[in-house]
Amino acid sequence: MNINSVKVDAKTAEAIRAGQPVIPKEAVRNSSLFGAEGTLLRLLDPSGNYVATGYHGLQNKGAGWVLSRNEREAIDQAFFSRKIRGAIERRKPFFEDPDTTAFRLFNGEGDGIGGMTIDHYAGHWMVSWYSEGIYSMRQFVYASLKEMPEARSVYEKKRFDQKGQYMEQDDFVFGDQPDFPLIVKENGMNFAVDLNDGAMTGIFLDQRDVRKAIRDEYAAGRQVLNTFSYTGAFSVAAVLGGAAGTVSVDLAKRSLPKTIEQFAVNGIDYEAQDIVVMDVFDYFRYAGRKGLEFDLVVLDPPSFARSKKRTFSAAKDYAGLLEDVLAVTAKGGIVIASTNHAGFGMKKFRTFIDKAFRSSGRKYRILKEYRLPEDFRTPRNSPESDYLKVAVIRADG
Ligand code: SAH
């Protein structure tokens, strides 16, 4: 493989030596110095001393990732095998838990290779590729995975811009293909997933702890509103936790059959639950007109969304959205506010919460906060990797 020596600025050199895994776009004056995507980089400080070995791959997070801080460590087949093996070893408790058969097996930079993740679904693995650069090294990863008895089959998703080629792709790579939907378990709950069905795999694994908390602590006897509900996974947890009723709201038409399926695989009568295909902002207006109130509202919007009527950005609009939620939240009700926006931290998120309650003239208490679960391992000195922020809030009068 090509290896390209590149001088980075002093600030980047220092940060990388302190553990930062990402190579920022601004680390060099001209990004053409990185070479083509997939080029290995020997990163040097301004005096020409070795800092780290990495690769060039363009993502919104940066221009590439550090792979090693040891000048003598080669980036070869053995390197990839070592990193993936290490990740599997660290997930031993997950492999041994029969109640949870879906989890993140390899979490990018947290397991030593930024730009790729592997999710485990009852032995079937989904590899996500976040840049052209890392994708060009896939043969190393697939050769490693072929050696691993834990992998029954492997699928892939390319999550980088493929220059206009958004054709329906077959995501199967190798192994014994399961029948879809594949039923996985999470703390004893069932979820249907499909690894070969475009964008909607089925569940976001990083919310496992929150789903468990909804079922075990927050749902009993409550009227639940699940906004941005996707396949309704939070609603499933709420019903299994004894909710009085659930309303799941999502704009995507496919959320309706997908949510019915998640209820069905848990033996829940979906006709007794409401599933609404609608823009949540319209739903808030509708609920306001009807005087509807909920005792538990789950709010987990995408970081960015564009619909026909508006664009939404969590960084700018979260507080306003939370105000809309409060207008339909009963006195003493619980709001579970979540965001996966990597651009701000928990502190900032708390200021959005505070702002919304102040504007609504209501008091509140944050009962509990959740961050990424254990299998979503993150490196130190990489606040952006630790993106998930969830607050369980009691909304008083
Ligand atoms: N909370 C979900 C994941 C949400 S993914 C879970 O944990 O399972 C984001 C979802 O928001 C997508 O399903 C998308 O269709 C939906 N969405 C985006 N903009 C929306 C809007 N304005 N109104 C309703 N749903 C929207």
Side-chain angles (χ1 to χ4, degrees):
M1 265 195 296
N2 281 345
I3 184 147
N4 203 352
S5 290
V6 183
K7 274 190 186 170
V8 297
D9 60 48
K11 197 172 130 241
T12 300
E14 193 188 336
I16 288 178
R17 284 190 172 120
Q20 175 183 296
V22 73
I23 305 168
K25 291 178 182 137
E26 324 74 62
V28 296
R29 223 166 297 137
N30 179 346
S31 63
S32 68
L33 294 170
F34 287 126
E37 286 215 34
T39 304
L40 288 179
L41 304 173
R42 196 165 166 269
L43 303 171
L44 309 172
D45 67 16
S47 333
N49 297 311
Y50 175 85
V51 178
T53 309
Y55 76 89
H56 176 43
L58 277 172
Q59 268 181 252
N60 56 354
K61 287 183 181 170
W65 297 95
V66 169
L67 296 172
S68 176
R69 290 178 182 75
N70 174 357
E71 196 166 6
R72 283 179 299 275
E73 185 171 33
I75 308 305
D76 53 12
Q77 178 64 63
F79 172 87
F80 282 89
S81 291
R82 244 178 359 258
K83 293 290 172 189
I84 297 169
R85 250 298 135 227
I88 292 176
E89 291 298 316
R90 285 189 283 273
R91 271 66 169 191
K92 267 241 163 77
F94 284 93
F95 279 99
E96 286 163 5
D97 179 359
D99 289 332
T100 296
T101 60
F103 52 89
R104 172 126 323 164
L105 187 77
F106 190 96
N107 197 38
E109 64 272 24
D111 285 296
I113 306 173
M116 66 170 250
T117 61
I118 307 175
D119 291 323
H120 171 106
Y121 294 99
H124 301 279
W125 292 3
M126 170 62 77
V127 185
S128 295
W129 302 105
Y130 288 90
S131 74
E132 189 84 56
I134 189 69
Y135 188 63
S136 72
M137 293 183 250
R138 65 190 175 283
Q139 73 278 10
F140 290 131
V141 172
Y142 291 144
S144 306
L145 298 189
K146 281 189 176 140
E147 306 280 290
M148 308 204 171
E150 296 90 345
R152 296 167 64 185
S153 74
V154 173
Y155 290 78
E156 69 176 12
K157 279 217 192 309
K158 290 175 235 171
R159 297 179 187 269
F160 53 89
D161 187 6
Q162 295 170 69
K163 307 196 172 77
Q165 294 181 304
Y166 292 105
M167 293 173 296
E168 280 290 312
Q169 300 165 343
D170 190 345
D171 295 335
F172 174 66
V173 185
F174 67 85
D176 293 326
Q177 301 199 57
D179 290 332
F180 293 118
L182 174 67
I183 310 301
V184 298
K185 274 194 185 301
E186 192 192 82
N187 294 304
M189 294 178 251
N190 292 330
F191 289 105
V193 300
D194 190 333
L195 306 184
N196 208 357
D197 190 27
M200 289 181 106
T201 300
I203 51 167
F204 288 103
L205 299 177
D206 54 2
Q207 296 279 11
R208 179 191 314 112
D209 295 346
V210 180
R211 283 188 283 268
K212 181 171 193 296
I214 286 175
R215 182 192 62 187
D216 296 349
E217 297 172 54
Y218 302 115
R222 292 203 159 98
Q223 284 293 348
V224 179
L225 173 62
N226 181 9
T227 59
F228 303 94
S229 57
Y230 183 55
T231 64
F234 287 129
S235 307
V236 166
V239 174
L240 296 177
T246 64
V247 181
S248 306
V249 184
D250 198 290
L251 189 61
K253 284 199 181 65
R254 293 199 59 208
S255 68
L256 175 65
K258 290 279 178 185
T259 302
I260 288 175
E261 181 177 52
Q262 300 298 21
F263 282 135
V265 299
N266 284 285
I268 297 165
D269 173 11
Y270 58 82
E271 290 184 340
Q273 310 299 325
D274 281 331
I275 308 168
V276 183
V277 177
M278 200 190 271
D279 188 314
V280 292
F281 295 97
D282 293 335
Y283 184 80
F284 288 134
R285 267 200 298 274
Y286 162 85
R289 275 201 312 274
K290 295 268 171 187
L292 302 182
E293 275 205 332
F294 296 90
D295 319 298
L296 174 62
V297 184
V298 182
L299 176 59
D300 178 34
S303 292
F304 303 96
R306 186 174 297 153
S307 66
K308 271 175 226 141
K309 288 178 214 153
R310 73 184 81 230
T311 58
F312 170 83
S313 145
K316 282 208 226 85
D317 306 319
Y318 204 102
L321 180 58
L322 192 46
E323 271 184 57
D324 290 342
V325 164
L326 292 177
V328 299
T329 305
K331 189 175 170 194
I334 302 256
V335 177
I336 299 188
S338 171
T339 178
N340 57 10
H341 195 298
F344 56 85
M346 196 64 172
K347 257 197 191 143
K348 183 83 176 248
F349 189 44
R350 287 190 206 114
T351 68
F352 298 159
I353 293 169
D354 195 65
K355 184 162 180 256
F357 277 91
R358 274 170 200 276
S359 309
S360 308
R362 292 176 72 167
K363 292 201 166 46
Y364 70 100
R365 230 183 95 184
I366 296 183
L367 304 178
K368 180 138 190 181
E369 292 174 353
Y370 290 87
R371 305 304 304 265
L372 285 173
E374 265 189 281
D375 46 329
F376 283 68
R377 197 166 190 259
T378 53
R380 258 168 288 156
N381 290 311
S382 185
E384 287 208 345
S385 309
D386 202 7
Y387 58 87
L388 186 68
K389 298 162 281 288
V390 183
V392 179
I393 314 161
R394 195 186 62 218
D396 297 330

